[in-house]
């Protein structure tokens, strides 16, 4: 059966490791509370499974996800017991690379001025999205080591940039700019390409040429450029200037941690790994955070906002709106975990949002 034709959508849920196993159940409860017509199936991929039977991804696992599900909700991978981190690499990077989820979409939105470490910055001032290329760059693990462990050791790490890969993420950014609105409902109008083409001339040259050519197809959208170091400075100095940012895999990884700090920290940041028309994957930006795992202190709001982003992608607009409104209310009323100023645990914060979303309030 073609799953895309079903009215009820099928979601694969993979909590993974560490705080992923605490925040994803909260996101799942909130999805249930929203009443969205979805069927959720949980998978145990992660460190425990790997340590038990050496399985990272079961045979045909990615093909099964693409065939049988409309979307995938993921927590985080990483566990101190698996020193090589092989399971995280095979599951998470495997999903991004093998399912060709080339657009990593990371919205950066400040819900309440109190969450921003910058002075005088209001929610309307931090409302941009970073589109990170997700399948190339330095994350392809191309490279090698010569004369390992000697004084003459040579290590290379290749930065892979293909014309096809660069062009499609840039085009995705312009399409995104054309179709997405800001929180206040106004249209988006600018795409900024971020690189380091003054020092990394070969890869940078390809990005520059592709950006120039693709931007010419979108005359109504302003095309801008900034070197990544300048962008970091400007993001702290004046985040108001940003709208849609498109960049490579590594710069996207780094600047979205910086951007997450503008919206209240890693616990607040959501993301989607998207290939238009295919099964896409949604995950909070944070990792498994071993130091705080298992303590009921992790902030579940990033995972809950990720769930809202996934529902919106699946055309459950009204449900996504209700979830985002409930998260905003939780932040305003400080019904949150300690990292953003509340005194609730992970479960209690999740319950509060689920109560708001269902309209029944918190039962406990
Ligand atoms: P990865 O390399 O996979 O990104 P990491 O352990 O290096 O993982 P994170 O897991 O993202 O990085 O977390 C770094 C720190 O940020 C955590 O130790 C924790 O202090 C804080 N943090 C991350 N996520 C949350 C959250 N949901 N709630 C509260 N604090 C968080």
């Amino acid at each position: 059966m073609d799953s895309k034709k079903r009215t009820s959508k099928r979601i694969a849920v993979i909590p993974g490791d560490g705080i992923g196993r605490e925040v994803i159940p909260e996101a799942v409860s909130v999805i249930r509370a929203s009443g969205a017509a979805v069927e959720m199936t949980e998978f145990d991929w992660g460190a425990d499974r790997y340590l038990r039977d050496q399985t990272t991804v079961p045979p045909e696992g990615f093909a099964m996800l693409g065939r049988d599900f409309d979307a995938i909700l993921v927590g985080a991978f990483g566990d101190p017991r698996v020193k090589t981190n092989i399971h995280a690499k095979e599951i998470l990077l495997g999903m991004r690379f093998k399912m060709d989820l080339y657009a990593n979409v990371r919205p950066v939105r400040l819900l309440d001025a109190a969450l921003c470490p910058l002075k005088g910055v209001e929610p309307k001032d931090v409302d941009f999205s970073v589109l990170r290329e997700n399948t190339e760059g330095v994350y392809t693990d191309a490279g090698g080591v010569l004369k390992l462990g000697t004084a003459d050791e040579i290590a290379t790490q290749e930065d892979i940039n293909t014309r096809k890969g660069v062009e499609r993420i840039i085009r995705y950014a312009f399409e995104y700019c054309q179709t997405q609105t800001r929180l206040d409902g106004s249209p988006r109008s600018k795409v900024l390409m971020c690189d380091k083409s003054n020092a990394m001339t070969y890869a940078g040259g390809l990005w520059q040429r592709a950006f120039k050519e693709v931007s010419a197809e979108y005359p109504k959208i302003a095309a801008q450029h900034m070197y990544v170091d300048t962008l970091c400075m400007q993001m702290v100095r004046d985040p108001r200037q940003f709208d849609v940012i498109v960049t490579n895999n590594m710069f996207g990884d780094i600047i979205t941690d910086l951007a997450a700090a503008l919206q209240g920290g890693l616990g607040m940041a959501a993301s989607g790994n998207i290939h238009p028309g295919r099964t896409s994957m949604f995950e909070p930006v944070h990792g498994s955070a071993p130091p705080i795992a298992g303590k009921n202190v992790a902030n579940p709001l990033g995972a809950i906002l990720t769930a809202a982003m996934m529902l919106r992608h699946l055309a459950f607009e009204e449900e996504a709106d209700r979830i985002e409104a409930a998260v905003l209310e939780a932040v305003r009323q400080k019904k949150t975990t300690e990292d953003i100023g509340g005194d609730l645990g992970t479960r209690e914060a999740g319950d509060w949002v689920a109560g708001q979303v269902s309209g029944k309030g918190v039962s406990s």
Side-chain angles (χ1 to χ4, degrees):
M1 184 195 320
D2 179 359
S3 62
K4 307 285 184 295
K5 288 194 186 132
R6 298 162 63 99
T7 42
S8 166
K9 301 287 184 188
R10 293 195 289 182
I11 299 172
V13 179
I14 313 179
D17 304 329
I19 63 170
R21 296 167 61 142
E22 296 173 77
V23 297
I24 291 300
E26 300 311 319
V28 165
S29 304
V30 170
I31 293 172
R32 291 222 168 86
S34 79
V38 296
E39 298 161 28
M40 291 184 273
T41 308
E42 189 168 322
F43 292 89
D44 66 353
W45 305 2
D48 279 350
R49 170 84 186 266
Y50 175 69
L51 291 168
R52 203 167 60 238
D53 65 12
Q54 259 64 62
T55 303
T56 55
V57 179
E60 298 299 305
F62 295 132
M64 175 274 298
L65 289 176
R67 188 185 58 235
D68 297 344
F69 293 92
D70 298 294
I72 309 161
L73 180 63
V74 159
F77 299 95
D79 185 306
R81 293 171 301 166
V82 184
K83 298 270 179 276
T84 57
N85 222 19
I86 177 77
H87 71 297
K89 204 168 175 179
E90 290 194 3
I91 300 170
L92 197 57
L93 292 186
M95 228 180 280
R96 289 177 181 166
F97 284 40
K98 296 200 174 128
M99 298 180 78
D100 201 27
L101 304 176
Y102 68 86
N104 190 331
V105 180
R106 297 186 164 191
V108 183
R109 288 173 163 174
L110 176 63
L111 296 182
D112 191 276
L115 297 183
C116 186
L118 303 181
K119 268 187 288 184
V121 170
E122 300 291 324
K124 65 175 172 28
D125 301 328
V126 181
D127 182 4
F128 60 91
S129 287
V130 179
L131 303 190
R132 165 187 174 190
E133 202 295 318
N134 218 16
T135 57
E136 303 189 344
V138 294
Y139 293 68
T140 53
D141 218 15
V145 183
L146 278 174
K147 302 181 185 174
L148 179 72
T150 72
D152 297 322
E153 181 167 339
I154 301 167
T156 60
Q157 194 83 45
E158 311 262 347
D159 182 10
I160 307 294
N161 297 267
T162 68
R163 172 73 203 203
K164 181 180 147 199
V166 172
E167 191 176 317
R168 69 181 177 174
I169 186 67
I170 291 174
R171 182 162 280 109
Y172 188 92
F174 279 93
E175 291 293 322
Y176 182 92
C177 186
Q178 220 167 31
T179 52
Q180 304 292 313
T181 54
R182 299 173 66 85
L183 267 182
D184 64 8
S186 62
R188 295 203 173 271
S189 60
K190 295 186 282 191
V191 176
L192 183 149
M193 193 272 280
C194 157
D195 66 14
K196 187 66 188 165
S197 52
N198 48 350
M200 302 165 79
T201 53
Y202 305 116
L206 172 53
W207 278 80
Q208 290 279 345
R209 278 178 278 114
F211 187 64
K212 197 165 169 215
E213 285 169 33
V214 175
S215 63
E217 296 170 27
Y218 298 86
K220 293 201 180 112
I221 296 175
Q224 305 175 326
H225 170 260
M226 217 177 256
Y227 295 126
V228 64
D229 40 358
T230 309
L231 181 128
C232 289
M233 184 184 66
Q234 291 295 342
M235 209 179 262
V236 174
R237 210 185 62 79
D238 181 17
R240 294 167 191 86
Q241 64 190 290
F242 297 112
D243 196 352
V244 176
I245 298 172
V246 62
T247 191
N248 71 17
N249 210 337
M250 182 169 69
F251 297 151
D253 189 3
I254 296 168
I255 65 173
T256 52
D257 266 29
L258 174 60
L262 300 177
Q263 61 182 143
L266 281 170
M268 294 300 293
S271 80
N273 298 264
I274 294 170
H275 185 130
R278 293 199 195 170
T279 301
S280 293
M281 184 266 276
F282 296 81
E283 54 172 338
V285 170
H286 64 73
S288 60
I292 61 165
K295 297 180 177 159
N296 196 38
V297 299
N299 183 349
L301 296 184
I304 292 170
L305 289 169
T306 298
M309 191 177 175
M310 177 181 71
L311 290 181
R312 201 176 291 291
H313 180 82
L314 296 174
F316 293 108
E317 297 282 345
E318 186 272 328
E319 290 84 350
D321 285 347
R322 234 173 330 118
I323 293 173
E324 286 175 357
V327 169
L328 179 59
E329 205 46 41
V331 170
R332 284 192 180 139
Q333 294 192 34
K334 289 208 178 346
K335 300 290 184 188
T336 64
T337 45
E338 283 182 19
D339 56 308
I340 54 165
D343 60 3
L344 300 183
T346 307
R347 282 188 294 276
E348 294 72 22
D351 282 353
W352 196 89
V353 174
Q356 287 285 118
V357 168
S358 67
K360 292 184 189 143
V362 181
S363 51
S364 57

